[in-house]
Amino acid sequence: MTGMISLVGAGPGDCELLTVKGQRRLKEADVVVYDRLVNRELLSLVNPNCELIYVGKEPQYHPVPQDQIADILIEKAQKNQKIVRLKGGDPYVFGRGGEEGAALLEQGISFEVVPGITSAIGGLAYAGIPITHRYVAGSFHVITAHRGKEGLDIDWPVIAKLSGTLVFLMGVSELATISQELQANGKAESTPIALVHWATRSKQQTVVGDLTNICQKVAEAKITSPSLIVVGEVITLRDTLNVFESRSLFGKQLLMPMTAHQRLAHRLTDEGASVVTYPSAQRVETQWELPKISDKELVFTDAKSWSAFIKKWYDKGNDIRNLPQGISGVGHHTCQALAQSGIQLKQSGLSLSELRLTNEMIIFGSDREEKISEQANIPLIKTHIRVYDQRIKAELTEVSAICLPHSQAAEDLLHYYQLSELENLPIITMGEQTASVLKEQGLMVYQTSEPSFDAIINKIQEVLL
């Protein structure tokens, strides 16, 4: 029996343009084989044990040949694994998905196609260019400008006479040939032409010209691959429809921790920013014994330690009413979890270092609290330990600022990145405890006036704009 292979289209770049089915397949995958133009943030959807295999191709540089990619898929499928072949755009729009599918069928391996939004449509939309318009273009034609062994296989006399929108993919290096051939075969010199670089991402850049001056404009703007080339009168609608590039945080890439709810990330992307992430530490449960607590004050440092404790407390046949009177919580989320269980707190909302620590305490938490526990000579019960996934942290080369909603996010940040990588980046924090963790390291910290998403957005605009 062989595994199942899903050829999944990742869309043009914006992570939220991935289909619901594509998202489900990534979450279920044992192996993900992905390309260069796939947004790496999509890899945050996979489970911690998923194998990630990069097979990206650069222009004129294919480190993993196409035949070898097919061999990888076949090998993994023969191990009865769930495999996602993650491709930019749509697998069947110049994505060689058809070739890979045929190679799998030859080996008796089943596969499915999960279509994606092609950049030829979605990328243009983000640049304010509709691929069709009732009064401007009644058709569109998508053409690969990738040069094969025989050169560009394009029937220029036919293409030049088409009245609809022309979209050329993989054609930046052939821009001069495209503009020259269209003019030589009848297109007017004044025909609008545009290039959209890194479409749908915060670093999207659009250059507009005509067939006579586009090469000069692209050279001046230093536009390279990956870029879409679009030809036609629909480009004139960009002045009216260009809403994505006009948002307040467009062009800004923000780093933040991965979170389950992503409410803040969604607010930031709605303002035009691109969000990249680093993983929050995975909290792995440990083996521990319930200590004698009758005369002790209990301190819980996070909601997970409380849930682990109360489960073990009940498993021993105890009643919640038999807990000691002195129970304290560290941080807002921990105190909220304790309050939901009906616990009246002795100390609440403070950081562990701000609590009045005594020898009559027992701390429940993770290896995060080891240093304070040792300094204060207070026993620590580690209900879980932190485990970090180094595979999918974002690079910082294009990050404009960092947003940290809580202190654990700050500590995780310091684990993943060197201080030298962070020292020139503004860091927006939502709370004194979070800010203090970073200020101790001499980093550039900007604290919001209140703990709200609106305050974070206002502070980012204040710092970056």
Side-chain angles (χ1 to χ4, degrees):
M1 184 175 180
T2 60
M4 179 64 183
I5 295 182
S6 301
L7 307 181
V8 177
D14 183 339
C15 283
E16 291 188 281
L17 297 183
L18 179 71
T19 64
V20 173
K21 189 169 188 177
Q23 182 184 62
R24 178 160 65 92
R25 289 294 185 247
L26 281 171
K27 289 181 177 180
E28 296 170 343
D30 300 310
V31 181
V32 174
V33 181
Y34 64 101
D35 283 345
R36 177 175 75 100
L37 297 184
V38 167
N39 191 326
R40 301 293 178 90
E41 286 300 301
L42 292 177
L43 302 180
S44 67
L45 294 171
V46 306
N47 68 73
N49 297 318
C50 179
E51 181 182 2
L52 303 177
I53 303 175
Y54 176 65
V55 294
K57 299 180 177 71
E58 305 282 344
Q60 309 303 319
Y61 177 58
H62 300 174
V64 184
Q66 188 63 36
D67 290 346
Q68 189 175 336
I69 294 174
D71 290 341
I72 291 171
L73 297 176
I74 292 167
E75 175 195 348
K76 298 301 179 182
Q78 289 172 340
K79 295 179 179 178
N80 196 25
Q81 294 180 305
K82 294 179 181 178
I83 301 106
V84 167
R85 173 70 173 104
L86 192 61
K87 307 169 80 70
D90 180 277
Y92 280 3
V93 180
F94 304 127
R96 306 190 75 168
E99 297 174 42
E100 292 175 3
L104 295 171
L105 290 177
E106 286 180 5
Q107 299 297 318
I109 296 171
S110 61
F111 75 96
E112 67 172 354
V113 178
V114 181
I117 297 174
T118 174
S119 59
I121 297 175
L124 294 187
Y126 270 54
I129 302 171
I131 198 167
T132 65
H133 188 277
R134 181 178 179 184
Y135 300 112
V136 179
S139 65
F140 65 87
H141 312 270
V142 181
I143 306 149
T144 176
H146 180 69
R147 183 178 290 275
K149 293 180 181 179
E150 306 302 324
L152 290 182
D153 186 19
I154 297 174
D155 191 338
W156 292 111
V158 172
I159 293 295
K161 289 181 175 60
L162 295 172
S163 60
T165 306
L166 305 179
V167 181
F168 295 88
L169 302 182
M170 300 177 287
V172 176
S173 62
E174 301 295 338
L175 180 60
T177 299
I178 292 169
S179 60
Q180 291 165 10
E181 290 288 354
L182 290 176
Q183 292 176 76
N185 287 276
K187 280 287 186 192
E189 293 181 350
S190 60
T191 301
I193 180 171
L195 271 77
V196 186
H197 181 54
W198 283 115
T200 77
R201 305 200 192 192
S202 66
K203 55 184 175 181
Q204 175 177 300
Q205 188 175 357
T206 306
V207 176
V208 177
D210 59 38
L211 292 178
T212 66
N213 62 20
I214 190 63
C215 288
Q216 179 182 348
K217 289 192 171 188
V218 165
E220 291 172 351
K222 299 180 180 178
I223 298 294
T224 58
S225 174
S227 296
L228 299 160
I229 301 172
V230 55
V231 180
E233 295 300 323
V234 288
I235 296 170
T236 62
L237 301 170
R238 172 176 154 80
D239 290 342
T240 302
L241 301 177
N242 182 23
V243 293
F244 177 61
E245 294 178 17
S246 63
R247 292 177 179 175
S248 64
L249 293 179
F250 172 74
K252 308 301 181 186
Q253 187 178 94
L254 305 175
L255 178 73
M256 61 179 297
M258 291 177 194
T259 58
H261 50 74
Q262 293 191 315
R263 291 191 298 269
L264 176 57
H266 292 158
R267 286 290 306 275
L268 295 172
T269 56
D270 286 346
E271 294 292 333
S274 175
V275 171
V276 295
T277 60
Y278 59 92
S280 298
Q282 295 292 316
R283 291 165 175 79
V284 179
E285 293 184 5
T286 64
Q287 297 294 324
W288 59 280
E289 295 297 328
L290 195 67
K292 294 181 179 180
I293 62 172
S294 57
D295 58 346
K296 298 291 185 180
E297 179 179 345
L298 310 184
V299 178
F300 295 94
T301 63
D302 53 44
K304 192 171 183 68
S305 64
W306 164 246
S307 63
F309 170 85
I310 199 64
K311 180 180 184 302
K312 185 156 290 194
W313 182 255
Y314 287 146
D315 288 346
K316 295 289 186 181
N318 296 314
D319 191 299
I320 195 170
R321 291 170 296 183
N322 295 332
L323 287 173
Q325 293 297 311
I327 295 180
S328 298
V330 173
H332 170 74
H333 296 293
T334 310
C335 295
Q336 191 176 49
L338 288 160
Q340 288 174 349
S341 297
I343 303 298
Q344 298 294 316
L345 296 176
K346 183 175 181 180
Q347 301 181 72
S348 67
L350 303 174
S351 68
L352 186 58
S353 60
E354 293 171 328
L355 289 180
R356 295 184 300 277
L357 300 174
T358 72
N359 292 331
E360 300 304 313
M361 287 180 168
I362 299 176
I363 300 172
F364 292 84
S366 70
D367 49 332
R368 175 189 181 192
E369 285 74 48
E370 285 178 336
K371 185 176 180 180
I372 289 181
S373 168
E374 291 173 359
Q375 290 175 342
N377 196 27
I378 297 173
L380 167 65
I381 303 297
K382 288 186 283 190
T383 63
H384 52 281
I385 59 173
R386 297 171 297 170
V387 177
Y388 294 92
D389 187 348
Q390 295 282 357
R391 302 173 305 160
I392 51 178
K393 68 173 184 178
E395 298 296 329
L396 300 181
T397 51
E398 296 176 351
V399 168
S400 307
I402 301 170
C403 299
L404 301 180
H406 48 73
S407 59
Q408 181 61 59
E411 293 183 4
D412 290 345
L413 178 79
L414 295 174
H415 178 89
Y416 282 114
Y417 301 100
Q418 300 294 321
L419 289 177
S420 58
E421 297 178 278
L422 303 171
E423 59 186 1
N424 295 320
L425 287 172
I427 303 176
I428 316 300
T429 68
M430 194 168 62
E432 179 58 42
Q433 183 180 346
T434 309
S436 63
V437 172
L438 301 163
K439 287 177 180 177
E440 290 174 0
Q441 305 296 329
L443 296 173
M444 194 188 326
V445 180
Y446 297 86
Q447 187 176 339
T448 61
S449 58
E450 59 182 38
S452 71
F453 292 166
D454 285 339
I456 284 184
I457 291 170
N458 291 337
K459 183 62 70 172
I460 292 171
Q461 292 172 336
E462 176 187 322
V463 172
L464 296 183
L465 303 182

